């Protein structure tokens, strides 16, 4: 691809090439959600009926939000803002805008911390696969015990020393920080230029291996797994939970409502296309999810445990499928160690390319508003990630991670998305937003999409918020149910409360930092921000 | 695989892969007037 249509805006960084941008955006979107969460959600929510709800949510919710975020991000870039407080302030000249934007700093910061920890498990399991560390644990129960032992859960036989997960967490975090410290074109772009082709290659090898796999005595053919995922069961379409699960998955997989996509888009100029680039990255993500993601984990699990066994495993949690079931299956396959290495290697690449994106808006905030150096900000944030990440290592079994995942990584995404849609499509105005998104556009979005973005997407979001608020968020808030599902263990209450206090602390800290930044830089809310010279 | 499941799989994969290929074809072709 010929490059250099992407220009440097003032002294801000910029993508050095269009393909680099697309790979980085795809790397941001393609994450653990595509290969772990998607098959689990599909299997646990009725297979084909989930897929119908998924595609509806993709068109009415995911894609419109994705374009809105590209638009909001690039518009923010015109004002040298790579973070949500600045992006909101650029389109809505109101004192509240910057504070609402602070949510867009808290969410990626929080999610990045536990996401890095989970990504570190994939690095550890890639290593354990290559060394054959779990070989001989050929049953689901034995592998679940192995996973629990690695996670440091009490009451299971110790396989590794308690320091083992810490070592892998440090390695993963160090790699992420190193990439970030090198900047947009020398760090992020270089990482995805190697990582993304490798990820797709690994996935293709796994797909072929799974489809050629002979079923075990109690298993079924891999095609039966695909049959389950794609057999439409129209009776379950009346179940609101299926629709909510599908909408939640679309959010997670496209990385919308996070602040990271907007940060990446802020490094574009108004001459650059965002409609076609957005469509290209979303379609790469969907290829990774719908085509590759549905052909690895569930069909592989079905060959060993049959369809009903695979469903039961999926309903027991995303990690059991990826970290216990698949290692069991790999142990029975020719070249199992290599396949295990490819599977966890793929997850690791998917994980770190997303984690890097999550920290980008936070580093942008400190650099742009406080004039700090990139390396200094990155490593200072690294200390925070390490400190709170170690709490996850220590308190995982007490629902600490689940609590953060629920409030920041699930409910929070929808809250931020709802706020940004209202600010961009309503307060900035749908006409201006539409024109802004189409500046430099190489393709025109069909006109009905404007109506979808203005009416249907926000309505969909508020419906989800209302439904979740009543059925899930309230019982979790009242400590009646656990964020990870099921009744809350009374012994876990102190950890859950600690998780919430820290979340609130992050929110308050960022609100204060935003206030200091605005005062320090002399921004006048009602006068808008100063546009960068282009 | 039942015909219904096969049809659903074929349609969804075709749409996803079709849009991906089309989007990259458009990108590689370059914007109008750019010469490539």
């Amino acid at each position: 691809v010929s490059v250099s249509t992407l220009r440097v805006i003032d002294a801000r960084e910029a993508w050095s090439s269009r393909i680099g941008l697309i790979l980085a955006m795809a790397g941001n979107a393609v994450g653990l959600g595509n290969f772990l969460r998607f098959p689990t959600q599909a299997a646990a929510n009725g297979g084909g009926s989930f897929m119908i709800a998924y595609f509806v949510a993709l068109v009415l919710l995911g894609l419109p939000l994705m374009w809105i975020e590209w638009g909001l991000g690039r518009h923010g870039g015109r004002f040298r803002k790579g973070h949500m407080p600045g992006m909101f302030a650029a389109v809505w000249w109101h004192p509240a805008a910057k504070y609402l934007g602070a949510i867009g700093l808290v969410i990626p910061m929080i999610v990045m911390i536990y996401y890095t920890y989970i990504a570190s498990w994939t690095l550890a399991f890639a290593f354990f696969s290559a060394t054959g560390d779990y070989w001989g644990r050929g049953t689901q129960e034995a592998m679940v015990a192995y996973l629990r032992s690695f996670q440091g859960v009490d009451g299971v036989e110790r396989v590794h020393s308690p320091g083992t997960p810490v070592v892998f967490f440090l390695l993963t975090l160090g790699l992420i920080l190193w990439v970030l410290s090198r900047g947009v074109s020398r760090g992020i772009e270089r990482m995805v230029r190697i990582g993304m082709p490798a990820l797709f290659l690994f996935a293709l090898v796994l797909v072929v291996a799974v489809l050629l796999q002979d079923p075990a005595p109690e298993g079924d053919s891999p095609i039966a797994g695909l049959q389950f995922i794609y057999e439409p069961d129209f009776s379950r379409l009346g179940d609101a939970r299926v629709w909510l699960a599908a909408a939640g998955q679309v959010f997670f997989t496209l990385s919308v409502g996070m602040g990271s996509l907007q940060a990446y888009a802020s490094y574009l100029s108004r001459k650059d296309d965002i409609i076609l680039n957005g469509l290209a990255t979303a379609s790469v993500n969907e290829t990774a999810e719908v085509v590759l993601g549905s052909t690895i984990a569930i069909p592989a699990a079905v060959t060993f445990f049959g369809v009903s066994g695979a469903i039961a495993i999926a309903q027991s949690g995303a990690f059991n499928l990826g970290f216990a079931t698949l290692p069991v299956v790999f142990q029975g396959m020719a070249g199992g160690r290599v396949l295990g290495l490819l599977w966890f290697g793929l997850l690791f690449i998917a994980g770190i390319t997303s984690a890097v994106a999550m920290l980008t808006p936070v580093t942008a905030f400190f650099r742009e508003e406080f004039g700090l150096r990139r390396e200094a900000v990155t490593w200072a944030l690294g200390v925070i990630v390490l400190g709170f990440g170690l709490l996850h290592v220590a308190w995982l079994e007490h629902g600490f991670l689940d609590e953060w995942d629920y409030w920041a990584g699930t409910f929070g995404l929808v809250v931020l998305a709802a706020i940004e849609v209202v600010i961009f499509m309503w307060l900035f105005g749908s006409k201006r937003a539409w024109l802004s998104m189409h500046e430099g556009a190489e393709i025109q979005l069909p006109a009905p999409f404007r109506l979808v973005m203005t009416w249907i997407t926000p309505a969909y979001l508020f419906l989800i918020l209302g439904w979740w608020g009543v059925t899930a968020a309230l019982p979790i808030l009242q400590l009646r149910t656990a964020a990870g599902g099921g009744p809350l263990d009374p012994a876990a209450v102190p950890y859950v409360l600690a998780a919430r206090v820290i979340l609130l602390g992050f929110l308050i800290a960022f609100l204060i930092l935003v206030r200091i930044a605005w005062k320090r830089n002399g921004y006048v809310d009602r006068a808008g921000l100063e546009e960068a010279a282009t | 695989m039942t015909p219904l499941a096969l049809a659903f799989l074929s349609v969804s994969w075709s749409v996803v892969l079709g849009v991906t290929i089309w989007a990259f074809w458009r990108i590689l072709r370059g914007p109008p007037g750019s010469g490539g």
Side-chain angles (χ1 to χ4, degrees):
Chain A
V1 175
S2 99
V3 285
S4 315
T5 50
L6 313 172
R7 299 157 352 124
V8 176
I9 309 163
D10 271 13
R12 283 191 98 225
E13 292 181 281
W15 300 103
S16 71
S17 71
R18 187 170 186 179
I19 200 70
L21 161 76
I22 291 171
L23 287 174
M25 282 287 196
N28 178 0
V30 177
L32 299 173
N34 297 61
F35 297 97
L36 273 185
R37 197 176 187 277
F38 171 75
T40 312
Q41 289 287 318
N45 290 286
S49 40
F50 172 88
M51 292 303 293
I52 294 173
Y54 175 87
F55 284 117
V56 171
L58 182 67
V59 173
L60 298 182
L61 197 62
L63 294 176
L65 270 173
M66 185 260 318
W67 278 309
I68 285 172
E69 295 197 347
W70 278 72
L72 190 62
R74 184 180 61 168
H75 186 85
R78 278 168 56 180
F79 301 85
R80 295 183 292 263
K81 301 297 174 213
H83 53 84
M84 297 296 281
M87 288 172 193
F88 281 172
V91 293
W92 185 38
W93 298 2
H94 189 279
K98 60 184 179 293
Y99 294 122
L100 288 171
I103 301 171
L105 292 171
V106 179
I107 289 176
M109 180 84 227
I110 290 290
V111 177
M112 189 272 176
I113 294 172
Y114 69 77
Y115 200 85
T116 302
Y117 175 42
I118 297 170
S120 77
W121 303 351
T122 64
L123 180 64
F125 273 64
F127 178 75
F128 298 152
S129 299
T131 55
D133 192 61
Y134 56 74
W135 246 247
R137 296 170 196 273
T139 65
Q140 177 74 10
E141 294 71 29
M143 266 317 293
V144 169
Y146 180 87
L147 172 65
R148 298 280 178 274
S149 158
F150 172 73
Q151 293 171 334
V153 174
D154 284 338
V156 290
E157 175 214 357
R158 281 254 160 269
V159 184
H160 305 104
S161 80
T164 311
V166 179
V167 170
F168 284 102
F169 180 59
L170 282 172
L171 286 172
T172 307
L173 179 59
L175 180 62
I176 291 168
L177 296 176
W178 179 71
V179 169
L180 266 171
S181 71
R182 292 174 60 85
V184 170
S185 60
R186 282 173 59 236
I188 298 172
E189 264 189 79
R190 283 194 188 171
M191 166 185 70
V192 294
R193 275 173 182 274
I194 301 166
M196 293 309 287
L199 183 149
F200 275 86
L201 183 69
F202 290 3
L204 276 174
V205 172
L206 284 159
V207 164
V208 172
V210 167
L211 290 179
L212 294 177
Q213 172 69 358
D214 288 327
E218 290 169 18
D220 216 328
S221 81
I223 301 299
L226 281 174
Q227 149 87 29
F228 167 67
I229 293 178
Y230 285 94
E231 177 75 55
D233 173 7
F234 296 105
S235 66
R236 286 207 61 184
L237 285 177
D239 186 346
R241 284 170 301 182
V242 172
W243 289 88
L244 289 171
Q249 176 59 27
V250 164
F251 254 89
F252 204 84
T253 187
L254 289 177
S255 295
V256 289
M258 185 80 80
S260 57
L261 216 153
Q262 298 90 320
Y264 274 11
S266 78
Y267 299 108
L268 287 168
S269 87
R270 36 197 320 188
K271 290 185 179 164
D272 298 318
D273 163 275
I274 58 175
I275 305 290
L276 182 58
N277 284 338
L279 184 66
T281 58
S283 60
V284 167
N285 180 68
E286 290 313 306
T287 300
E289 178 141 310
V290 172
V291 179
L292 302 173
S294 68
T295 318
I296 301 174
I298 294 293
V302 163
T303 61
F304 210 87
F305 297 98
V307 173
S308 55
I311 296 171
I313 291 164
Q315 286 172 339
S316 74
F319 298 134
N320 287 347
L321 181 67
F323 289 87
T325 310
L326 289 199
V328 171
V329 176
F330 293 143
Q331 288 180 55
M333 291 173 82
R337 282 191 191 190
V338 175
L339 293 173
L341 179 64
L342 292 182
W343 168 246
F344 290 110
L346 165 149
L347 292 179
F348 181 66
I349 297 168
I352 57 163
T353 50
S354 300
V356 162
M358 288 173 202
L359 214 49
T360 301
V362 188
T363 51
F365 174 71
F366 286 105
R367 293 181 61 206
E368 290 159 3
E369 305 310 330
F370 294 93
L372 300 171
R373 279 175 55 245
R374 183 175 59 223
E375 290 82 358
V377 174
T378 306
W379 293 104
L381 285 173
V383 173
I384 296 174
V385 175
L386 176 63
F388 289 98
L390 289 177
L391 289 183
H392 285 290
V393 179
W395 292 346
L396 178 77
E397 63 179 306
H398 304 295
F400 190 79
L401 191 152
D402 289 336
E403 195 70 16
W404 278 27
D405 183 41
Y406 185 77
W407 294 112
T410 309
F411 199 73
L413 304 184
V414 188
V415 171
L416 184 63
I419 293 170
E420 74 185 352
V421 169
V422 170
I423 288 181
F424 199 52
M425 298 308 293
W426 285 80
L427 298 172
F428 188 52
S430 75
K431 189 178 177 186
R432 281 207 284 175
W434 186 257
L435 288 174
S436 171
M437 280 185 265
H438 280 86
E439 276 188 87
E442 289 174 24
I443 56 168
Q444 175 79 26
L445 274 181
F449 258 106
R450 186 171 153 192
L451 289 177
V452 170
M453 287 175 182
T454 316
W455 297 99
I456 298 176
T457 308
Y460 212 135
L461 287 168
F462 283 105
L463 205 67
I464 294 172
L465 273 182
W467 185 275
W468 272 359
V470 174
T471 59
L474 205 60
I476 292 172
L477 190 67
Q478 294 170 329
L479 300 171
R480 284 192 280 133
T481 55
L488 183 69
D489 175 8
V493 170
Y495 300 96
V496 167
L497 292 178
R500 288 182 193 175
V501 168
I502 297 169
L503 280 178
L504 261 181
F506 268 102
L507 180 61
I508 293 166
F510 274 116
L511 285 170
I512 294 170
L513 283 167
V514 165
R515 185 177 171 78
I516 294 170
W518 254 245
K519 276 193 183 293
R520 177 181 187 275
N521 296 316
Y523 299 147
V524 182
D525 294 313
R526 302 276 182 191
L529 298 170
E530 189 189 340
E531 194 165 346
T534 52
Chain B
M1 195 180 259
T2 64
L4 191 59
L6 187 61
F8 190 26
L9 182 149
S10 309
V11 170
S12 48
W13 285 27
S14 305
V15 171
V16 167
L17 291 171
V19 172
T20 310
I21 293 165
W22 178 82
F24 279 92
W25 170 75
R26 274 299 305 253
I27 286 169
L28 290 169
R29 205 184 64 172
S34 74

